[in-house]
Coordinates of all heavy atoms in Angstrom, one line a residue:
I29 N 42.5 8.2 5.7 CA 42.5 8.0 4.3 C 42.6 9.4 3.6 O 41.7 10.2 3.9 CB 41.3 7.2 3.8 CG1 41.2 5.9 4.5 CG2 41.5 7.0 2.3 CD1 42.3 4.9 4.3
E30 N 43.6 9.7 2.8 CA 43.8 11.0 2.2 C 43.3 10.9 0.8 O 43.7 10.0 0.0 CB 45.2 11.4 2.3 CG 45.7 11.6 3.8 CD 47.0 12.3 3.9 OE1 47.8 12.3 2.9 OE2 47.3 12.8 5.0
F31 N 42.5 11.9 0.4 CA 42.0 12.0 -1.0 C 42.4 13.3 -1.6 O 42.5 14.3 -0.9 CB 40.4 11.9 -1.0 CG 39.9 10.6 -0.5 CD1 39.2 10.5 0.7 CD2 40.0 9.4 -1.3 CE1 38.7 9.3 1.1 CE2 39.5 8.2 -0.9 CZ 38.8 8.1 0.3
L32 N 42.5 13.4 -2.9 CA 42.5 14.6 -3.6 C 41.1 14.8 -4.2 O 40.5 13.9 -4.8 CB 43.5 14.6 -4.8 CG 45.0 14.7 -4.4 CD1 45.9 14.6 -5.6 CD2 45.2 16.1 -3.7
L33 N 40.6 16.0 -4.0 CA 39.2 16.3 -4.5 C 39.3 17.4 -5.5 O 39.9 18.5 -5.3 CB 38.4 16.9 -3.3 CG 36.9 17.2 -3.5 CD1 36.1 16.0 -4.0 CD2 36.3 17.9 -2.3
C34 N 38.8 17.1 -6.7 CA 38.9 18.0 -7.9 C 37.7 17.9 -8.8 O 37.4 16.8 -9.2 CB 40.2 17.6 -8.7 SG 40.6 18.8 -10.0
D35 N 37.0 19.0 -9.0 CA 35.8 19.0 -9.8 C 34.8 18.0 -9.5 O 34.2 17.3 -10.3 CB 36.2 18.8 -11.3 CG 37.1 20.0 -11.8 OD1 37.0 21.1 -11.3 OD2 38.0 19.7 -12.6
G36 N 34.6 17.8 -8.2 CA 33.5 16.9 -7.7 C 33.9 15.5 -7.7 O 33.0 14.6 -7.3
A37 N 35.1 15.1 -8.0 CA 35.6 13.7 -8.0 C 36.7 13.6 -7.0 O 37.5 14.5 -6.8 CB 36.1 13.3 -9.4
F38 N 36.8 12.4 -6.4 CA 37.9 12.2 -5.4 C 38.8 11.1 -5.8 O 38.3 10.1 -6.4 CB 37.3 12.0 -4.0 CG 36.5 10.8 -3.8 CD1 37.1 9.6 -3.3 CD2 35.1 10.8 -4.0 CE1 36.3 8.5 -3.1 CE2 34.3 9.7 -3.8 CZ 34.9 8.5 -3.4
F39 N 40.0 11.2 -5.5 CA 41.0 10.2 -5.8 C 41.9 9.8 -4.6 O 42.3 10.7 -3.9 CB 42.0 10.7 -6.9 CG 41.3 11.1 -8.2 CD1 40.9 12.5 -8.3 CD2 41.0 10.2 -9.2 CE1 40.3 12.9 -9.5 CE2 40.3 10.7 -10.3 CZ 40.0 12.0 -10.5
F40 N 42.1 8.5 -4.4 CA 42.9 8.1 -3.3 C 44.3 8.5 -3.4 O 44.9 8.4 -4.5 CB 42.8 6.5 -3.2 CG 43.7 5.9 -2.2 CD1 43.4 5.9 -0.9 CD2 45.0 5.4 -2.6 CE1 44.2 5.3 0.1 CE2 45.8 4.9 -1.6 CZ 45.5 4.8 -0.3
M41 N 44.9 9.1 -2.4 CA 46.3 9.4 -2.4 C 47.1 8.4 -1.6 O 48.0 7.8 -2.1 CB 46.5 10.8 -1.8 CG 46.4 11.9 -2.7 SD 47.2 13.4 -2.0 CE 46.4 13.6 -0.5
E42 N 46.7 8.3 -0.3 CA 47.5 7.4 0.6 C 46.7 7.2 1.9 O 45.7 7.9 2.2 CB 48.9 7.9 0.9 CG 48.8 9.2 1.7 CD 50.2 9.8 1.9 OE1 51.0 9.8 0.9 OE2 50.5 10.4 2.9
M43 N 47.2 6.2 2.7 CA 46.6 6.0 4.0 C 47.7 6.2 5.0 O 48.8 5.7 4.9 CB 46.0 4.6 4.2 CG 45.4 4.4 5.6 SD 44.7 2.7 5.8 CE 43.9 2.9 7.4
N44 N 47.4 7.0 6.1 CA 48.3 7.1 7.2 C 47.9 6.2 8.3 O 46.8 6.4 8.9 CB 48.4 8.6 7.7 CG 48.9 9.5 6.6 OD1 48.3 10.5 6.3 ND2 50.1 9.2 6.2
T45 N 48.7 5.2 8.6 CA 48.3 4.2 9.6 C 48.7 4.5 11.0 O 49.4 3.8 11.7 CB 48.9 2.8 9.1 OG1 50.3 3.0 9.0 CG2 48.3 2.3 7.8
R46 N 48.2 5.7 11.4 CA 48.6 6.3 12.7 C 47.7 7.4 13.0 O 46.8 7.8 12.3 CB 50.1 6.8 12.6 CG 50.3 7.8 11.5 CD 51.6 8.5 11.5 NE 51.9 9.2 10.3 CZ 51.4 10.3 9.9 NH1 50.6 11.0 10.7 NH2 51.8 10.9 8.8
L47 N 47.9 8.0 14.2 CA 47.3 9.2 14.6 C 47.9 10.4 13.8 O 49.1 10.5 13.6 CB 47.4 9.5 16.1 CG 46.5 10.5 16.7 CD1 45.1 10.0 16.8 CD2 47.0 10.8 18.2
Q48 N 47.0 11.3 13.3 CA 47.5 12.4 12.5 C 47.9 13.6 13.3 O 47.3 13.8 14.4 CB 46.5 12.9 11.5 CG 46.2 11.9 10.3 CD 47.2 12.0 9.2 OE1 48.3 11.4 9.3 NE2 46.9 12.7 8.2
V49 N 48.8 14.4 12.8 CA 49.2 15.7 13.5 C 47.9 16.5 13.8 O 47.7 17.1 14.8 CB 50.2 16.5 12.7 CG1 50.5 17.8 13.3 CG2 51.5 15.7 12.5
E50 N 47.0 16.5 12.8 CA 45.8 17.4 12.9 C 44.6 16.8 13.6 O 43.5 17.3 13.4 CB 45.5 17.9 11.5 CG 45.2 16.8 10.5 CD 46.4 16.3 9.7 OE1 47.5 16.5 10.2 OE2 46.2 15.7 8.7
H51 N 44.8 15.7 14.3 CA 43.7 15.1 15.0 C 42.9 16.0 15.9 O 41.7 15.7 16.2 CB 44.1 13.8 15.7 CG 44.9 14.0 17.0 ND1 46.2 14.3 17.0 CD2 44.4 14.1 18.3 CE1 46.6 14.4 18.3 NE2 45.5 14.3 19.1
P52 N 43.5 17.0 16.5 CA 42.7 17.9 17.4 C 41.5 18.5 16.8 O 40.5 18.7 17.6 CB 43.8 18.9 17.9 CG 45.1 18.2 17.8 CD 45.0 17.4 16.6
V53 N 41.5 18.8 15.5 CA 40.3 19.5 15.0 C 39.2 18.5 15.0 O 38.0 18.9 15.1 CB 40.6 20.1 13.6 CG1 41.5 21.3 13.7 CG2 41.1 19.1 12.6
T54 N 39.5 17.2 14.7 CA 38.4 16.2 14.8 C 37.9 16.0 16.2 O 36.7 15.8 16.4 CB 38.9 14.9 14.2 OG1 39.3 15.0 12.8 CG2 37.9 13.7 14.3
E55 N 38.8 16.1 17.2 CA 38.4 15.9 18.6 C 37.5 17.1 18.9 O 36.5 16.9 19.7 CB 39.7 15.9 19.5 CG 40.5 14.7 19.3 CD 41.7 14.6 20.3 OE1 42.3 15.7 20.6 OE2 42.0 13.5 20.7
C56 N 37.8 18.3 18.4 CA 37.0 19.4 18.8 C 35.6 19.3 18.3 O 34.6 19.6 19.0 CB 37.6 20.7 18.3 SG 39.1 21.3 19.2
V57 N 35.4 18.9 17.0 CA 34.0 18.8 16.4 C 33.3 17.6 16.8 O 32.0 17.6 16.7 CB 34.1 19.0 14.9 CG1 34.7 20.4 14.5 CG2 34.9 17.9 14.2
T58 N 34.0 16.5 17.3 CA 33.3 15.3 17.7 C 33.1 15.2 19.2 O 32.3 14.4 19.7 CB 34.0 14.1 17.2 OG1 35.3 14.0 17.8 CG2 34.1 14.0 15.7
G59 N 33.9 16.0 20.0 CA 33.9 15.9 21.4 C 34.5 14.6 21.9 O 34.3 14.3 23.1
Q60 N 35.3 14.0 21.1 CA 36.0 12.7 21.5 C 37.5 12.9 21.7 O 38.1 13.8 21.1 CB 35.7 11.6 20.4 CG 34.2 11.4 20.1 CD 33.5 10.9 21.4 OE1 33.9 10.0 22.1 NE2 32.3 11.5 21.6
D61 N 38.1 12.0 22.5 CA 39.5 12.0 22.7 C 40.1 10.8 21.9 O 39.9 9.6 22.3 CB 39.8 11.8 24.2 CG 41.3 11.8 24.6 OD1 42.1 11.4 23.7 OD2 41.6 12.2 25.7
L62 N 40.7 11.0 20.8 CA 41.1 10.0 20.0 C 42.3 9.1 20.5 O 42.4 8.0 20.2 CB 41.5 10.5 18.6 CG 40.4 11.3 17.8 CD1 40.9 11.5 16.4 CD2 39.1 10.5 17.8
V63 N 43.1 9.7 21.4 CA 44.1 8.9 22.1 C 43.5 7.9 23.0 O 43.9 6.8 23.1 CB 45.1 9.9 22.8 CG1 46.1 9.0 23.6 CG2 45.9 10.7 21.8
A64 N 42.5 8.4 23.7 CA 41.7 7.5 24.6 C 41.1 6.3 23.8 O 41.1 5.2 24.3 CB 40.6 8.2 25.4
W65 N 40.6 6.7 22.6 CA 40.0 5.6 21.8 C 41.1 4.6 21.4 O 40.9 3.4 21.4 CB 39.5 6.3 20.5 CG 38.1 6.8 20.6 CD1 37.6 7.6 21.6 CD2 37.0 6.7 19.6 NE1 36.3 7.9 21.4 CE2 35.9 7.4 20.2 CE3 36.9 6.1 18.4 CZ2 34.7 7.5 19.5 CZ3 35.7 6.1 17.7 CH2 34.6 6.8 18.2
Q66 N 42.3 5.1 21.0 CA 43.4 4.2 20.7 C 43.7 3.3 21.8 O 43.9 2.1 21.6 CB 44.7 5.0 20.3 CG 44.6 5.8 19.0 CD 46.0 6.4 18.7 OE1 46.4 7.3 19.4 NE2 46.6 6.0 17.7
L67 N 43.8 3.8 23.0 CA 44.1 2.9 24.1 C 43.0 1.9 24.4 O 43.3 0.7 24.8 CB 44.4 3.8 25.4 CG 45.6 4.7 25.3 CD1 45.6 5.7 26.4 CD2 46.9 3.9 25.2
A68 N 41.8 2.3 24.3 CA 40.7 1.4 24.5 C 40.7 0.3 23.5 O 40.5 -0.9 23.8 CB 39.3 2.2 24.4
V69 N 40.9 0.6 22.2 CA 40.9 -0.4 21.2 C 42.1 -1.4 21.4 O 41.9 -2.6 21.2 CB 41.1 0.3 19.8 CG1 41.5 -0.8 18.7 CG2 39.8 0.9 19.4
A70 N 43.2 -0.9 21.9 CA 44.4 -1.7 22.2 C 44.1 -2.7 23.3 O 44.7 -3.7 23.5 CB 45.6 -0.9 22.5
E71 N 43.1 -2.3 24.2 CA 42.7 -3.2 25.3 C 41.7 -4.1 24.9 O 41.2 -4.9 25.8 CB 42.2 -2.3 26.5 CG 43.4 -1.5 27.2 CD 42.9 -0.6 28.3 OE1 41.6 -0.4 28.4 OE2 43.7 -0.2 29.2
G72 N 41.3 -4.1 23.6 CA 40.3 -5.1 23.2 C 38.9 -4.6 23.3 O 37.9 -5.4 23.1
K73 N 38.6 -3.4 23.7 CA 37.3 -2.8 23.9 C 36.7 -2.4 22.5 O 37.4 -2.1 21.6 CB 37.3 -1.6 24.8 CG 37.8 -1.9 26.2 CD 38.0 -0.7 27.0 CE 38.5 -1.0 28.4 NZ 38.7 0.3 29.2
P74 N 35.3 -2.4 22.5 CA 34.7 -1.9 21.2 C 34.8 -0.4 21.1 O 35.1 0.3 22.0 CB 33.2 -2.4 21.4 CG 33.1 -2.4 22.9 CD 34.4 -2.8 23.5

């Protein structure tokens, strides 16, 4: 979910219904593999 943040308020821009180009930075700070998560969810796992 993409927001614009201005003067302490946020506004919805759009939703990207996919993996983002920049997902590696989230993987680095969470220690998770988001592609592995995608495959697990597709297999019906929690």
Side-chain angles (χ1 to χ4, degrees):
I29 307 294
E30 299 191 339
F31 296 109
L32 284 177
L33 181 62
C34 187
D35 297 328
F38 64 94
F39 302 92
F40 173 82
M41 276 200 302
E42 63 186 40
M43 180 179 189
N44 294 127
T45 54
R46 53 170 167 80
L47 195 68
Q48 289 280 83
V49 176
E50 57 273 20
H51 76 274
V53 293
T54 296
E55 292 185 323
C56 287
V57 297
T58 60
Q60 303 298 315
D61 183 331
L62 298 192
V63 174
W65 278 43
Q66 286 185 297
L67 296 169
V69 166
E71 290 179 341
K73 297 175 181 176

